[in-house]
Amino acid sequence: MTEKELVKKIKKLKGIKPSQNWVLKTKIRILGETPQFELFPFFKPVYAGLFLVFIFLGIVELAQSALPGEPLYPLKKMTEGIQVVFVSETNRPGLQLSLTNKRLEELNEIALKNEAKKLVPAIKELEANVSQAAKDLVRTKKADKEVIEKTKELVENKEKVEKILATKIETEELENAYKVLAEKEIENLENSSLTEIQIEILNQAKEFFEKEDYLNAFLKAIEASEKR
């Protein structure tokens, strides 16, 4: 065998990899102990924190579909509370109305499933959100687009739940807040130059107001102000 052929064969040997079984047996002979297998390397301290974060985020996501009276519901409320803390004061009324709509949707789901035990906690959660939404609405100087959209949604959700439960849902605090907003909008319209269509819609708003349906009075007043 020539020197070149020998060098060529040695180079080929570099590409040969020993079997895993041979490596393990050799390690046992040298170290005198059985190598430890790591089936779950993510339990190492370096990965543990990240693993727990993913688990927590998964639970938080799961909690978003929880209903009042269920174990994960307090976690859902906690995440909502964090939202409220970090939102600006200007956007808070819209967020509170959004949360009130969530409570109505939860109540609607419970009613459809006929889960009587969850009705009481669901109504209490709704009352708490209604109270907070009312406080934030009263402080607002002018209703923005989000408040108007969430108010329309609120009317629909409230009617839907009342139909299923065959009873009226009392939202007196919220109605009183809309009374203040409706008065402002109606007063502004009365001091403005209006078209015939606007005057007609304004009169409808006043009718709702006289019937003490302040929520719809507010929506009609907004409709009149937007009509051109």
Side-chain angles (χ1 to χ4, degrees), residues 65 73 118 133 161 190-191 193 202 209:
S65 59
Y73 193 76
K118 295 177 182 177
V161 175
E190 287 178 331
N191 295 324
S193 177
L202 174 58
F209 196 91

Side-chain angles (χ1 to χ4, degrees), residues 131-142:
S131 179
Q132 189 56 56
K135 290 174 184 176
D136 288 323
L137 276 173
V138 169
R139 285 196 292 266
T140 190
K141 294 179 180 178
K142 184 171 177 59

Side-chain angles (χ1 to χ4, degrees), residues 68 107 110 115-127:
L107 190 54
I110 288 168
E115 295 179 308
K117 289 182 179 179
K118 295 177 182 177
L119 275 175
V120 173
I123 290 170
K124 285 183 178 179
E125 291 292 344
L126 173 62
E127 288 172 347

